[in-house]
Amino acid sequence: MKRFIPFLKSDPLVAVIRLSGPIASGARAGLLNDQAVAPLIEKAFRRGKPKAVALLINSPGGSPAQSSLIAARIRRLADEKQVPVHAFVEDVAASGGYWLACAADQIWLDQTSIAGSIGVISAGFGLHDLIARHGIERRVHTSGKDKSMLDPFRPERAEDVARLTAIQEQVHQSFIDHVKTRRGSRLAENDDLFTGEFWVGRKAVEVGLADGIGHLVPKMKEHFGDKTRFAVYGPKRGLFQRLGASVVAETIGQIEDRALWARMGL
């Protein structure tokens, strides 16, 4: 009741944003992207004058662009509102998931949490031999010689791989710059830090990817007192999603998601 009475001091409030799932553009349930999480982030920073915002992260990564957009939104609001941000990692904050964690001022792990995988990956299939064996002729017509770069139905070209590698290196450098800017001197001197390697729990703390082992409620109460209140902001499933609409699209998406989680052994 006292938080509704102007002259009585309210108990400290921590806004909690749940960021769970692969990071990719699209409207499918379970995906993290700027369009989907922007309303949650905006509400978390603007409602009730929170003492801090806590990011509850569980993501194997995904789109670099969406990771960057979400992290930039969090930092903009944190600076605008002068609100500290803490990230709490559940199973994993890897690749783009760790990009999100670095939007926080401090990062906390469970002893079994996975963190890191600071790198860029592209994967596909070469199917040209398969279609040749079945007498299938591939017909592609483009107005630019590189328009069909890395077409899985034709033999891989060295120049295509070189071009892809150059693009990946640009994205990788942006990721590295983001981590170095946010973590600064807390990062250890470790040759494997930006190779795509990942670490678990205390090992991740030792190399500077996180600040310590800690869980959301006790850590926030340690900072702001035992009477700290929590407001949780997370995605809501729409009516059609609850009724199981778009089953085929959901199934395909879940297979892709499963592959991302499997890279972390989860």
Side-chain angles (χ1 to χ4, degrees):
M1 173 64 75
K2 66 181 179 180
R3 68 173 179 265
F4 299 108
I5 303 175
F7 52 83
L8 289 181
K9 186 177 180 180
S10 297
D11 294 331
L13 172 67
V14 172
V16 181
I17 307 171
R18 176 168 285 281
L19 299 173
S20 181
I23 304 167
S25 58
R28 181 168 59 81
L31 293 181
L32 295 175
N33 53 63
D34 188 56
Q35 181 179 7
V37 303
L40 307 177
I41 296 171
E42 297 285 342
K43 288 177 184 177
F45 277 96
R46 299 185 189 283
R47 283 187 177 176
K49 296 182 179 180
K51 292 290 185 182
V53 168
L55 310 175
L56 199 53
I57 295 176
N58 199 9
S59 175
S63 163
Q66 293 299 326
S67 303
S68 179
L69 288 169
I70 295 170
R73 183 180 297 275
I74 292 168
R75 286 315 315 161
R76 174 176 59 79
L77 288 166
D79 294 339
E80 176 187 319
K81 298 294 182 180
Q82 293 295 293
V83 173
V85 180
H86 294 257
F88 293 87
V89 179
E90 293 184 330
D91 298 282
V92 59
S95 195
Y98 186 69
W99 196 315
L100 299 184
C102 283
D105 300 297
Q106 291 186 299
I107 301 173
W108 306 97
L109 308 178
D110 180 77
Q111 293 188 49
T112 61
S113 299
I114 293 171
S117 190
I118 303 168
V120 181
I121 185 172
S122 176
F125 298 93
L127 303 174
H128 57 284
D129 287 336
L130 175 66
I131 65 173
R133 282 198 302 269
H134 290 275
I136 300 171
E137 181 185 357
R138 174 73 163 158
R139 295 175 180 174
V140 179
H141 308 281
T142 71
S143 60
K145 67 181 181 67
D146 292 322
K147 191 64 177 178
S148 61
M149 186 182 81
L150 297 175
D151 186 332
F153 294 101
R154 73 179 187 188
E156 189 172 66
R157 300 187 306 178
E159 58 266 36
D160 287 354
V161 176
R163 186 180 177 200
L164 175 64
T165 301
I167 293 170
Q168 289 179 316
E169 287 174 352
Q170 292 177 53
V171 177
H172 191 196
Q173 190 59 55
S174 295
F175 194 174
I176 293 171
D177 292 344
H178 173 65
V179 174
K180 286 184 174 180
T181 297
R182 297 299 306 151
R183 299 298 298 168
S185 61
R186 289 174 287 186
L187 294 172
E189 292 292 334
N190 189 307
D191 292 338
D192 293 327
L193 206 54
F194 303 118
T195 64
E197 178 66 271
F198 53 86
W199 290 264
V200 178
R202 295 193 184 279
K203 288 293 184 182
V205 176
E206 288 176 13
V207 298
L209 295 181
D211 295 283
I213 303 299
H215 296 166
L216 191 153
V217 172
K219 182 59 67 174
M220 291 295 89
K221 286 189 174 182
E222 178 185 317
H223 276 72
F224 303 109
D226 289 335
K227 293 185 178 181
T228 299
R229 298 177 289 119
F230 298 88
V232 181
Y233 299 89
K236 295 181 180 179
R237 299 178 66 197
L239 175 61
F240 288 105
Q241 292 166 351
R242 293 198 300 270
L243 295 176
S246 303
V247 174
V248 174
E250 288 289 331
T251 300
I252 294 172
Q254 287 169 7
I255 293 171
E256 294 172 345
D257 295 352
R258 185 66 256 164
L260 274 174
W261 290 104
R263 286 173 44 224
M264 300 295 111
L266 300 171

